[in-house]
Amino acid sequence: MLAIRLLAEPDRLDVLALPVRPAGAQSPAEPVPVGTALPDGVADELSALVPAARLTGAPGETWTQVRPGRVPVRLLPLGVGTGDEGAWRAAGAALVRAARDESHVTLALPAGAPAEAVRGLVEGLLLASYRFRLGADEAAPALAVVDLLVADPAAYADAVEVARTTAEMTRLARDLVNMPSSVKNPRWFAEQLAEASAGVPDLHLRVREPDELAAEGFGGILAVGSGSASGPRLVELDWRPADARTHVVLVGKGITFDTGGISIKPVPAMKLMRKDMAGAAAVVAATLGAAALRLPVRVTTLAPLAENMVSGGSYRPGDVIRHYGGVTSESTNSDAEGRLVLADAIAYAVRELRPDVLVDLATLTGANAVALGKRTGALYSENDRLAADLLAAAEAAGEAAWRLPLPADYVDYLRSDIADLYSAPVQGAGSVVAALYLREFTGELRDRWVHVDMSAPSWSDGAEAELTKGATGWGVRSLLRWLATLD
Ligand code: BES
Ligand code: MN
Ligand code: ZN
């Protein structure tokens, strides 16, 4: 990972980045006054350069001015827009891309920059420089160190630490989601967590294997995993600090590959189904982040892990599944597997863990993208306050989410002739119906439950701002923000 240092004096000055912002209508942009001394002549040169290069100061705008034989040898004006956290996140992302061939960059920060600006900047730097490669990486960027020049480094140490942990955990989630499914079977995923949680005080991991799942009645996880040579698991990761007053349960869908099962997916729809554990990746990474930051809230995270495969052992359309706690589902389509594993985990949380709040994240339906496009998660809750808090956290974190309703007019369709519920009763309204199905398992927690369908934003088709092509780690930043507001 890129090294980021807070310095009061420059260590090396080969490439110097300086903030530029939009100005009034007459002059389109202006340099932002920085909090530390600049080399002789640089301030005047930048003032002349900004209009000459027709810079606008828009967040993420960059320009490279070469100065042969002088120090610094390159000046890099960096657009920082309004200077808020989101604008700095975009600026940080743009900076690592513009300077990918430099080994070292120094960025002078504005005098009196708020800590949130530095948080956004550091997240942008660390997230946009993420790479996932198996094998040699000949095209790796040279950039290894970014120094941030500020008058008072100690004032920003906490902001940098929180941003670094948030980015590190987002990167971990991306790694898990990007990993091919030939490697990341349920056992492998659980082993990664054992490694990541080992030795962390107050963090406990329990992994249930298939025989334990059978003994305790986790019929949904077992049915979905039944077609795979790699058996299912249920991960239970418990961050339990002594001073916690609130108990949150996070649940994440962990289908390590989704073929659709007997109701098999067509080729284009199956291509990226290694990402179908992005909900599990996000919730476990957020929990590891809560532990790393020692947030004073108890977080128990459940990740039901299974591979939805096609074989002689696979579960069939029409099968009736008995979930944890006894509710039964008639599986109408083996490709609606996510809700079956989530149902077990939610029922277990409601009956055995009895938390204050329950939040689940899942790559649950293709309909998420149909309704809201490729960047926005669909959030469901009966609790206005909880919904508003999570949406606010997502907005601050730079992850888009939009609340959708839980309409009464679809509830009757959920009733099966031979079981309590149909897993996927109607065509259309896919994301909404899946949410209504999950709600059936929330029991006493019905009005303290939030479901997020994040199929769409879990993956990015290209590099854009802090996102890189592939897994986005969507959810980690929002969850960590939200958890940090609880006490
Ligand atoms: N994992 C998929 C949902 C998905 C689709 C995630 C596209 C990411 C991108 C899920 O298991 C699924 O197959 N859902 C079905 C539900 C249907 C059978 C009721 C869907 O969305 O078509
Ligand atoms: Mn599916
Ligand atoms: Zn799925």
Side-chain angles (χ1 to χ4, degrees):
M1 198 160 82
L2 197 62
I4 294 174
R5 307 186 297 181
L6 282 164
L7 301 177
E9 300 273 338
D11 178 23
R12 283 160 62 186
L13 260 192
D14 22 32
V15 184
L16 177 60
L18 293 168
V20 173
R21 68 185 170 205
Q26 270 73 32
S27 57
E30 64 188 13
V32 183
V34 297
T36 47
L38 294 177
D40 284 347
V42 162
D44 289 343
E45 195 177 323
L46 183 67
S47 295
L49 173 61
V50 166
R54 299 201 182 95
L55 299 180
T56 67
E61 177 183 59
T62 59
W63 179 274
T64 303
Q65 186 67 21
V66 189
R67 311 163 82 230
R70 296 161 69 195
V71 176
V73 71
R74 281 188 271 287
L75 265 190
L76 207 151
L78 177 65
V80 300
T82 58
D84 68 8
E85 184 172 354
W88 273 101
R89 194 180 295 116
L95 180 58
V96 292
R97 293 205 173 95
R100 76 182 306 284
D101 296 330
E102 315 289 348
S103 61
H104 174 269
V105 170
T106 304
L107 167 62
L109 289 182
E116 300 84 68
V118 175
R119 178 171 181 178
L121 166 66
V122 172
E123 286 184 7
L125 293 168
L126 294 177
L127 292 176
S129 56
Y130 170 83
R131 284 170 76 79
F132 182 81
R133 290 282 307 176
L134 299 173
D137 191 4
E138 268 116 32
L143 188 61
V145 182
V146 177
D147 284 336
L148 308 180
L149 282 185
V150 289
D152 180 8
Y156 298 102
D158 283 352
V160 170
E161 203 39 50
V162 170
R164 192 180 277 130
T165 301
T166 305
E168 218 173 280
M169 294 310 164
T170 305
R171 293 167 60 109
L172 168 66
R174 289 182 184 178
D175 280 345
L176 293 170
V177 176
N178 281 325
M179 184 59 77
S181 299
S182 54
V183 174
K184 77 169 158 205
N185 57 34
R187 176 168 47 79
W188 181 90
F189 187 106
E191 282 166 6
Q192 302 309 298
L193 271 187
E195 261 175 50
S197 61
V200 181
D202 302 319
L203 186 64
H204 312 279
L205 175 69
R206 174 167 181 199
V207 179
R208 285 179 174 81
E209 310 229 337
D211 52 343
E212 299 167 275
L213 294 173
E216 293 181 59
F218 289 94
I221 300 173
L222 287 165
V224 172
S226 63
S228 173
S230 306
R233 298 284 186 278
L234 175 62
V235 157
E236 183 169 347
L237 182 65
D238 197 11
W239 162 240
R240 196 169 191 175
D243 49 351
R245 287 195 293 146
T246 306
H247 183 195
V248 173
V249 167
L250 303 177
V251 178
K253 171 178 172 182
I255 300 300
T256 62
F257 193 78
D258 183 11
T259 64
I262 298 298
S263 316
I264 195 164
K265 286 182 184 293
V267 171
M270 205 192 295
K271 194 174 81 173
L272 287 178
M273 279 301 134
R274 72 176 192 276
K275 73 173 175 184
D276 210 16
M277 35 56 74
V283 295
V284 300
T287 309
L288 292 169
L293 296 170
R294 299 205 60 84
L295 298 182
V297 50
R298 182 175 172 202
V299 184
T300 311
T301 288
L302 299 170
L305 304 167
E307 188 179 38
N308 191 21
M309 270 296 200
V310 192
S311 80
S314 298
Y315 79 123
R316 310 152 196 80
D319 282 359
V320 173
I321 290 143
R322 181 174 297 273
H323 295 282
Y324 187 91
V327 174
T328 54
S329 292
E330 178 182 350
S331 168
T332 43
N333 181 333
S334 65
D335 200 9
E337 83 298 337
R339 63 198 73 183
L340 300 178
V341 302
L342 293 170
D344 277 6
I346 291 170
Y348 169 75
V350 170
R351 291 170 70 99
E352 312 296 336
L353 303 176
R354 303 175 160 274
D356 300 300
V357 184
L358 175 64
V359 180
D360 77 77
L361 264 67
T363 50
L364 205 53
T365 71
N368 168 207
V370 177
L372 298 174
K374 63 181 179 176
R375 288 271 183 262
T376 306
L379 182 141
Y380 298 86
S381 182
E382 291 188 359
N383 187 316
D384 292 346
R385 167 82 201 279
L386 205 48
D389 287 352
L390 272 151
L391 289 171
E395 163 124 45
E399 295 182 322
W402 195 259
R403 190 176 178 189
L404 292 181
L406 291 154
D409 35 334
Y410 282 89
V411 172
D412 288 344
Y413 295 106
L414 288 171
R415 311 290 164 220
S416 156
D417 299 331
I418 59 167
D420 296 321
L421 299 166
Y422 282 126
S423 62
V426 280
Q427 292 291 308
S431 184
V432 163
V433 170
L436 289 169
Y437 171 86
L438 293 179
R439 191 179 64 179
E440 296 292 320
F441 294 87
T442 58
E444 284 167 24
L445 281 161
R446 178 166 162 151
D447 65 352
R448 283 173 288 149
W449 161 71
V450 177
H451 161 60
V452 185
D453 189 343
M454 36 83 82
S455 322
S458 65
W459 195 265
S460 176
D461 295 331
E464 194 181 308
E466 75 276 20
L467 304 182
T468 52
K469 189 173 178 183
T472 59
W474 194 95
V476 177
R477 288 188 272 151
S478 301
L479 286 172
L480 274 174
R481 288 262 173 178
W482 174 67
L483 291 172
T485 65
L486 305 177
D487 57 15

